Amino acid sequence: MNVFSAQSHRTQLILAAVSASLLTSGLFTAYNAYSRRERRRNLDRDILKSIADQDKGSKQRLRPKGDELLNEQIIRIGADGYDEGLVREQLARCYAFFGDEGMARVREKSVVIVGCGGVGSWVAVMLVRSGVSKIRLVDFDNVTLSSLNRHATAVRADVGMPKVVCIERTLKQISACVEVDSRVEIWRKEDGGRLLEGADWVIDAIDNITTKVDLLKYCHEHHIKVFSSMGASAKTDPTRIQISDISYTMYDPLARSVRRRLRLQGVSSGIPVVYSTEVPGDVKLLPLPEEEFQKGDVKELGVFDDFRVRILPVLGSLPSLFGLHIATYVLCEMACKPILNPLPVKNRKKLYERLLRDLLHRESKFIGEPINKLPIDEDDVALIFEDLHLGRSVVPPHAVPAHPTLLRWDPAKPLTLENCVVFESTEAAKHVRECLTPRTEEAHSRQTPRAVWGDEVQAVVERHAGDVAKYRTWVGL
C-alpha cells in the first residue's frame, strides 16, 4: 500500500510539473503575441501620425533650395570655409583606404574633365565624393530630356541648362570644400592650354573623334596625364569593359579610329583608356527625317564640325560604368596606389599574332607569291575568332580547337572579314586540300566549300557575314 501511495505521489508531481510547464509556455506565447500586436498598433499610429504631419507641413522642404547651405546643426562652417573635422569624417572610408598621405595627395590635385555628359558627369561626382577639391568642367552642351537616362546629376528641371552648371550645383552640395570652375566652351587645340592650365589630370570624355585625338595628342606632347573614354554607345555587357593602354585596345570601333589617328601623329602608346570589347549588337541609329537627308550629306549637318548628327542608342548604365572605371583608376594613381596590372582581355594577343602570321603564310601559298600585308589586322582576327566564331570551329559540332587556324572560305572571293573562318588544324588541312589548291597548280580539281562541308556550315558562314555587315555600319567601313 505504501509503495502504491509513493508511486501515485510521484505521478502527481510529474503531472503537476508538466502542467506548470505547459501553462508557462502558454503564457509566454500569449505575451509574445500580445507584444507583437501592440508593436504593430504603435507602428500603425506612428505611420498615420507621420503622414498627417507631412500633409500639414507639405509646403515645408526638407532640403534647402538651390545652393543654400544645409542646416548649421548638420554642417558647421569654420574660419577657412569648412570644418576640417567634418570633411575628414565625410571622407573616413577613403582615408581608411588610401591613408593620410594618399588622401593628402588626392585632395591637393586638380582635375579637368572635358566632356560632361553620361561619362564625364559620373567621373566628376565620384572624384569629388572621394576628396578631389579642385575640378574644372568643360562642355559647350546643354541638358536635354534624352540626357536624363545617363547623366549623373541632371533632373527634369535642368533641361536647357548647361551641363557644367548642373554638375557644379551637385558637386557643391556633396562637398563643402570643392572648388569648381565651370566653362561652357568647346576645347580646341588652338587655345588648348588655357582650359588645361594647372591640371594634374585631364579626363577625356569627348564624343567627337577629331577633338578627342587633338586633346590626347596635346596632353601627350605637353606631358599632362590624361585618361580617355572610348565608346559606350550601343553596348550592353558590363563584363566586357576593360582598362588598358590605347595600344592594346581591340574590337572597339572608336578606339581603333583614335589609335590609328594618334599613330599617324607619332603617338603610339602611353595613354590609358577605358573601352569595351563588346561588338555592337542588333541596335540601330535613331532615324533622321527624310528632309534632313535632302539638305545634303548627313555628316555635314552638324552644328559644329565633326560632331555627330545621328543619335546613337545608349543604355544609361554603361556610360556610368565607364565613368566609375575612370574615377577609380585616376584616384588610385593620384594616391600613389596605382592599379599595377589591369586584367588583359583573355591575354590572347600572342594567339592573334600567331593566327595572323599563319594566315599570311597560307595566303602567300594560295596566291603563289609573297605577301607583305593582309587586308585584315589583329583586331579583325580577334573579331573573327572571338565574336563571330566564339572561339570555336566553323564545322559542327563546333568544338573548341586545340590548334585553331584561320583560312579563306571561298577561293573565288577576296579575303575579307566575311570570307575568313576558323578551323581546327586537321579541318584546315582538308579545306586547303579540297578548296584552296594554289593558283600555280591545276585549279580544276578545286571543290566549292559548300560541296566539301555541306549546307549547314555554309549557312553558318552566311550568318557570320550578316553580323559583319552590322559591324561595318558602326565602324563606318
Side-chain angles (χ1 to χ4, degrees):
M1 187 69 178
N2 291 335
V3 174
F4 178 77
S5 297
Q7 291 177 346
S8 176
H9 181 65
R10 282 197 299 274
T11 301
Q12 291 175 359
L13 290 175
I14 292 171
L15 291 175
V18 171
S19 299
S21 298
L22 292 174
L23 178 61
T24 302
S25 176
L27 289 173
F28 272 116
T29 302
Y31 176 76
N32 289 334
Y34 172 78
S35 298
R36 285 196 296 271
R37 286 196 298 271
E38 281 299 304
R39 286 196 297 270
R40 180 169 295 179
R41 290 194 195 99
N42 291 335
L43 179 61
D44 290 342
R45 284 196 297 268
D46 290 342
I47 292 174
L48 292 174
K49 183 176 182 299
S50 176
I51 293 174
D53 292 343
Q54 186 176 4
D55 290 339
K56 291 179 182 179
S58 60
K59 295 184 180 180
Q60 297 179 356
R61 298 182 62 86
L62 298 178
R63 296 287 182 188
K65 296 180 180 180
D67 296 326
E68 296 176 8
L69 296 176
L70 295 178
N71 191 293
E72 291 182 359
Q73 295 178 348
I74 300 176
I75 291 185
R76 302 186 303 275
I77 304 300
D80 295 329
Y82 59 90
D83 188 310
E84 176 63 19
L86 286 176
V87 172
R88 288 183 66 94
E89 181 179 347
Q90 180 176 339
L91 299 174
R93 302 300 177 90
C94 297
Y95 271 95
F97 194 89
F98 290 133
D100 288 348
E101 292 184 3
M103 282 303 297
R105 297 187 188 98
V106 170
R107 292 180 63 182
E108 71 182 10
K109 298 298 183 184
S110 176
V111 179
V112 176
I113 299 177
V114 185
C116 296
V119 175
S121 61
W122 284 96
V123 178
V125 167
M126 289 314 303
L127 289 180
V128 171
R129 286 190 184 278
S130 303
V132 173
S133 58
K134 296 179 182 178
I135 192 164
R136 181 176 297 139
L137 308 172
V138 181
D139 198 313
F140 71 93
D141 205 2
N142 294 336
V143 175
T144 64
L145 273 175
S146 64
S147 305
L148 302 186
N149 85 314
R150 58 194 180 279
H151 201 273
T153 66
V155 296
R156 285 184 298 171
D158 298 325
V159 173
M161 178 186 296
K163 291 178 179 178
V164 295
V165 175
C166 171
I167 298 173
E168 178 181 359
R169 178 200 61 214
T170 300
L171 298 185
K172 289 182 176 179
Q173 291 174 344
I174 293 172
S175 173
C177 57
V178 66
E179 299 175 16
V180 185
D181 180 13
S182 297
R183 305 291 186 93
V184 186
E185 300 183 44
I186 299 177
W187 186 90
R188 297 187 186 279
K189 63 180 178 180
E190 292 79 10
D191 63 345
R194 177 176 58 85
L195 292 175
L196 304 184
E197 184 179 359
D200 296 297
W201 271 92
V202 172
I203 309 301
D204 158 41
I206 304 173
D207 287 336
N208 135 285
I209 295 179
T210 301
T211 307
K212 180 183 287 287
V213 171
D214 288 341
L215 175 62
L216 296 179
K217 184 174 185 293
Y218 184 95
C219 290
H220 189 269
E221 287 183 343
H222 291 81
H223 307 289
I224 302 173
K225 294 181 179 179
V226 61
F227 194 109
S228 181
S229 173
M230 296 294 113
S233 300
K235 308 293 177 68
T236 60
D237 187 353
T239 67
R240 303 291 291 269
I241 300 174
Q242 299 280 324
I243 290 177
S244 77
D245 187 88
I246 183 71
S247 60
Y248 292 117
T249 56
M250 59 180 63
Y251 303 162
D252 189 310
L254 178 59
R256 170 185 289 193
S257 297
V258 171
R259 186 178 68 245
R260 289 179 173 175
R261 294 192 187 194
L262 284 173
R263 191 177 296 155
L264 291 174
Q265 299 185 46
V267 181
S268 58
S269 63
I271 299 175
V273 302
V274 60
Y275 74 105
S276 172
T277 63
E278 179 185 3
V279 175
D282 190 17
V283 290
K284 299 179 180 179
L285 292 170
L286 297 184
L288 279 176
E290 182 62 30
E291 56 266 23
E292 294 296 326
F293 289 94
Q294 295 174 0
K295 295 177 183 178
D297 187 350
V298 173
K299 295 181 180 179
E300 298 176 357
L301 299 180
V303 178
F304 299 100
D305 291 342
D306 298 321
F307 277 82
R308 67 183 183 221
V309 175
R310 303 299 300 275
I311 299 175
L312 296 171
V314 182
L315 184 62
S317 53
L318 266 294
S320 69
L321 290 175
F322 273 50
L324 298 181
H325 275 68
I326 296 172
T328 302
Y329 182 96
V330 172
L331 285 167
C332 290
E333 288 286 329
M334 290 191 297
C336 293
K337 290 191 175 182
I339 301 173
L340 297 176
N341 187 28
L343 182 66
V345 183
K346 298 185 180 179
N347 199 23
R348 296 208 188 193
K349 185 172 178 61
K350 290 185 178 179
L351 171 62
Y352 304 146
E353 291 175 349
R354 196 267 297 171
L355 289 173
L356 186 62
R357 187 171 58 250
D358 291 350
L359 179 59
L360 176 64
H361 175 70
R362 292 178 183 276
E363 282 292 303
S364 296
K365 289 187 65 176
F366 172 71
I367 294 175
E369 59 184 40
I371 300 176
N372 294 323
K373 187 177 180 180
L374 292 171
I376 63 176
D377 58 19
E378 286 181 23
D379 282 356
D380 297 323
V381 169
L383 172 69
I384 294 167
F385 186 76
E386 303 288 0
D387 287 277
L388 297 181
H389 291 79
L390 305 179
R392 297 175 177 273
S393 169
V394 71
V395 180
H398 309 295
V400 176
H403 299 90
T405 302
L406 293 185
L407 282 177
R408 181 193 298 235
W409 171 250
D410 188 344
K413 297 179 181 179
L415 179 66
T416 60
L417 291 173
E418 296 90 338
N419 195 35
C420 188
V421 298
V422 177
F423 285 113
E424 172 60 82
S425 59
T426 55
E427 298 164 346
K430 177 181 177 180
H431 189 73
V432 170
R433 185 173 61 253
E434 301 290 341
C435 304
L436 300 180
T437 304
R439 291 178 178 176
T440 55
E441 301 177 10
E442 291 294 330
H444 66 270
S445 60
R446 287 182 190 164
Q447 298 188 57
T448 64
R450 184 190 294 271
V452 174
W453 301 107
D455 292 338
E456 182 179 355
V457 178
Q458 181 67 39
V460 171
V461 174
E462 292 173 358
R463 186 176 71 247
H464 290 170
D467 294 336
V468 171
K470 296 176 184 176
Y471 172 73
R472 289 182 185 277
T473 61
W474 289 101
V475 182
L477 296 178

